[in-house]
Each structure stands twice: as C-alpha cells, then as structure tokens.
Amino acid sequence: SLLIAIPPLIAYGIVENKGLVTLPTSLVIIGTPVMTIPASLFMRRVGRRVGFIFGSFIGVVSGLLSAYAVFISDFWLFSLSTFLFGFFSGFAQLYRFAAADVASEDFKSKAISLVLAGGVVAGFLGPESAKLGQNLVTSTPFVGAYLILTATTFASIFVLLFLDIPPLTSAERAGPRRPIGTIMMQPVFLAAALAAMISQGVMNFLMTASPIAMATCGLPFSDTAFVIEWHIFGMFAPGFFTGHLVKKFGEVKIIICGLFLQFVCVLVALEGIEVAHFWLSMFLLGVGWNFAFTAGTSLMTTAYRTSERAKTQGAMNFLIYGFVSIMSLSSGALVHYFGWSAVNFGALPFLVIAVIATLWYAISQNQGEVRST
C-alpha cells in the first residue's frame, strides 16, 4: 500500500516526462510475474519457509535501494529498486496458495480469504508510514517511509522462521503431471485465471492512476493517503468473511458479485472529483477485487493435482501480474494525456470480458452435470 501511495508522487517530482510517473509502481508489478514461476519452482525444491525468507531478503535490499534513490533524486535507480521489490512480491503472492495447500478441503476458500485479510493492517500501515516518513529522516520527502518499509520487511523474516509447512513428499512430486498447456485450456482454469487477472488488473489500473488524478485535482497528500487507506481496507477487510460467502454461495456467484462492484466503482468515479467520489470509488474497487480474486483463487485450486500445483500456481500468477503490469504502466500515460475519466472508461471492456468468461464456465459446468446424469 505504501508503494501505491507515494511512488507516483515521487516520480512526478523528479522525472521530466510526466507520462512516466507510474513507471516505478508498474515495475513492481512487472517484476512480480518475472519472479512468480521461478519462485514457485524454487519453493517446490526448498520448501515454503526458505523460499519466503529468501524473498523477504530481496524486499529488504529493495527498500534500502529505494531510500537511497529517493535521497539522490535518481528516477531510474528508483525504478530499478521498485522492480526488485516486484521480485519480493513474486514470492509473497504465493502466501495464499501456501495456506490453501495445508488447509482441509472444506477450509481452503476460508484459508485463502483469511490470508488476504491480513492486508487490513497493511492497508493502514502503508499510508501512515508514508505520512510519518515523509519528512522523518532528511529534507528529502519520503526517504524515511522507505526505511520504515525496509524495517517492516526485515521483521517479517523473524516471523517466517517459525513457519512450518511440510514439503511435498517424493510420491507427491512424482505423481502424474499433465502438460501446462493442457491444464490451462481447461474451462475452470480459464475462468479462474480471467476472474483473478482482470479484477486485479482493473484494480491496479484505477488505483495506480488515482494519486495522480487527486494531485491534479488539487487535493493534498493527506487526502490521497486517506483514500488509499480505505481502498486497502476495502481490499482486505472482507477477507474475514469472503471465504464463508464462497463456501455458501460458490465461486461463480462471488466472482460475479465482485465484478459488479467494480462496475459500480467506475460509475461513482465518473460522477465527480471530490474526495468523497475518490473514497467511495476506491473502497468499492477494493471490495470488488477481494470477492473476485478470492473466489478466483479458490476456483483455481480445483484445476490441478498435487503434483501439478507448483507450475499451475506459477502460471496463474504469471498471467495475473503480466496483465496487471501492462494495465498499470498504461494508466499513467492515460491519466496524464487523457484524464481520469478516460482511465475509468478504459476499465469497462475488461470487466465485460471477465463476466462473460465466468458465465461461460458456469454454463459449461451445468451442461456437463446434465450430461453426466
């Protein structure tokens, strides 16, 4: 959440071409798919604990490099540091799958949901750290924020030392494995991947542009931090009950509900440019993402066998964050050259595609059940 709130503002102050202001944030997202498959395969060999700790060390290095780059006002070094943070994110995106791997069949969706619910703390810690660190260490804004980020990432390593997730047994690793292309062509994989990919892509598309839009509307950083806090709260607070909703109503209904909320988010954003419009729009965007992303991840766990999970999970995350990187990178140029409304209109076609894919999967499932009976 810190990387949402301040990199565009830092970049806006140090880069000449304002169309590049979202590049540092986008490079976090680009770095994520670059590392997702290697991280998943690395963990398959060394286990979750070693993999997550290694990823956190990358995050520490990135945080220190970011602080230095901001201090010397070097845009390209700052961009490199955020790209490295994307590597850390590539490891961290496997937390939800790690929880699902060790959960009982009935508890999988709730486990995924509760892991995401941990982001409630991050939702407030990130923007508050940005405000606290804005002028904490030097006269250069936000250096202190990145030092706080580094300390927090380093602290997570000590928590991970107590992580105990049994690695795959030899029998599980040697089980039957289909080609990844075969797995990805399943309707269940396509529906789950598109739901997660587009809900995450639209979320980042709008979220990355919102600090710039608020700044160009003359709103102070304190309002931006407030909006981002509640956006992150909307993203993760539903995690305490989304898993229960998925269990009760099924993945398809919760995905559709999440995509609908993101439609409403766009409508609110198009209504005006007051703080209230940004707040409600970003809050709905976060809740919609939580529903669609959690349900999509839960649905994906039915697409693979135990022996196939590393490459399938890696492939899903690669698709998600590859798409998200394109959306995030384009949002900066779009908001700079065409305005906030154009960004919101640009999100609508993707949401339509996700809805169609989800309904197609639901219809194919119903037809399959009818034929089997």
Side-chain angles (χ1 to χ4, degrees):
S1 61
L2 186 148
L3 290 168
I4 296 164
I6 61 175
L9 301 177
I10 292 170
Y12 199 83
I14 63 177
V15 68
E16 184 175 348
N17 183 353
K18 304 306 181 185
L20 295 174
V21 292
T22 60
L23 178 63
T25 304
S26 299
L27 284 173
V28 178
I29 302 164
I30 293 171
T32 302
V34 169
M35 188 52 66
T36 49
I37 294 177
S40 187
L41 296 177
F42 180 65
M43 287 191 190
R44 187 174 190 269
R45 180 174 295 273
V46 303
R48 295 291 195 190
R49 179 170 59 182
V50 174
F52 286 135
I53 289 174
F54 181 74
S56 293
F57 272 115
I58 297 175
V60 169
V61 172
S62 166
L64 292 173
L65 191 61
S66 294
Y68 177 68
V70 173
F71 179 68
I72 65 173
S73 298
D74 189 322
F75 175 76
W76 295 109
L77 184 61
F78 181 55
S79 298
L80 173 63
S81 70
T82 60
F83 182 64
L84 287 178
F85 202 86
F87 287 5
F88 164 54
S89 180
F91 282 89
Q93 293 303 325
L94 293 167
Y95 278 121
R96 70 192 195 279
F97 284 120
D101 291 344
V102 294
S104 65
E105 198 62 38
D106 289 341
F107 197 69
K108 281 187 185 295
S109 59
K110 293 182 181 178
I112 294 166
S113 181
L114 288 171
V115 168
L116 295 180
V120 171
V121 177
F124 290 94
L125 182 62
E128 289 302 319
S129 297
K131 288 194 289 186
L132 177 64
Q134 186 171 5
N135 298 300
L136 181 65
V137 178
T138 69
S139 59
T140 305
F142 300 119
V143 170
Y146 280 99
L147 294 178
I148 293 172
L149 174 65
T150 302
T152 305
T153 308
F154 188 75
S156 71
I157 293 172
F158 292 96
V159 178
L160 290 165
L161 291 174
F162 299 95
L163 185 66
D164 182 20
I165 296 180
L168 290 175
T169 65
S170 299
E172 289 173 330
R173 285 198 300 267
R177 283 180 283 174
R178 296 165 292 174
I180 189 62
T182 301
I183 297 171
M184 292 174 67
M185 289 307 296
Q186 298 175 101
V188 63
F189 181 97
L190 294 172
L194 280 170
M197 184 176 78
I198 290 178
S199 64
Q200 178 84 19
V202 166
M203 190 267 291
N204 278 85
F205 186 61
L206 299 177
M207 177 183 65
T208 303
S210 63
I212 300 302
M214 294 183 71
T216 56
C217 291
L219 299 172
F221 177 71
S222 58
D223 285 340
T224 301
F226 169 76
V227 168
I228 293 300
E229 283 177 354
W230 281 96
H231 167 67
I232 303 293
F233 182 78
M235 285 176 64
F236 297 117
F240 292 109
F241 57 83
T242 305
H244 174 73
L245 295 177
V246 171
K247 184 68 179 174
K248 183 174 181 179
F249 298 106
E251 286 90 353
V252 169
K253 291 180 180 178
I254 301 304
I255 288 171
I256 294 296
C257 183
L259 296 172
F260 173 76
L261 288 174
Q262 291 192 320
F263 269 112
V264 176
C265 142
V266 171
L267 297 180
V268 172
L270 292 171
E271 279 295 307
I273 53 173
E274 302 296 325
V275 174
H277 294 103
F278 283 104
W279 170 78
L280 181 57
S281 173
M282 290 295 106
F283 178 73
L284 292 173
L285 180 67
V287 176
W289 169 83
N290 182 281
F291 281 13
F293 193 79
T294 302
T297 301
S298 178
L299 186 61
M300 181 59 71
T301 62
T302 67
Y304 54 82
R305 302 163 182 156
T306 301
S307 58
E308 299 168 339
R309 76 186 187 193
K311 64 182 180 181
T312 308
Q313 292 169 3
M316 181 187 187
N317 279 344
F318 177 81
L319 290 174
I320 291 171
Y321 293 98
F323 176 71
V324 168
S325 65
I326 296 171
M327 295 289 282
S328 178
L329 187 59
S330 62
S331 70
L334 198 60
V335 72
H336 177 67
Y337 292 111
F338 299 101
W340 177 234
S341 294
V343 177
N344 283 276
F345 279 118
L348 293 176
F350 297 102
L351 293 172
V352 171
I353 291 171
V355 170
I356 292 173
T358 305
L359 294 176
W360 167 72
Y361 164 71
I363 293 170
S364 67
Q365 281 294 102
N366 290 335
Q367 290 176 343
E369 291 174 1
V370 170
R371 284 195 294 269
S372 64
T373 56

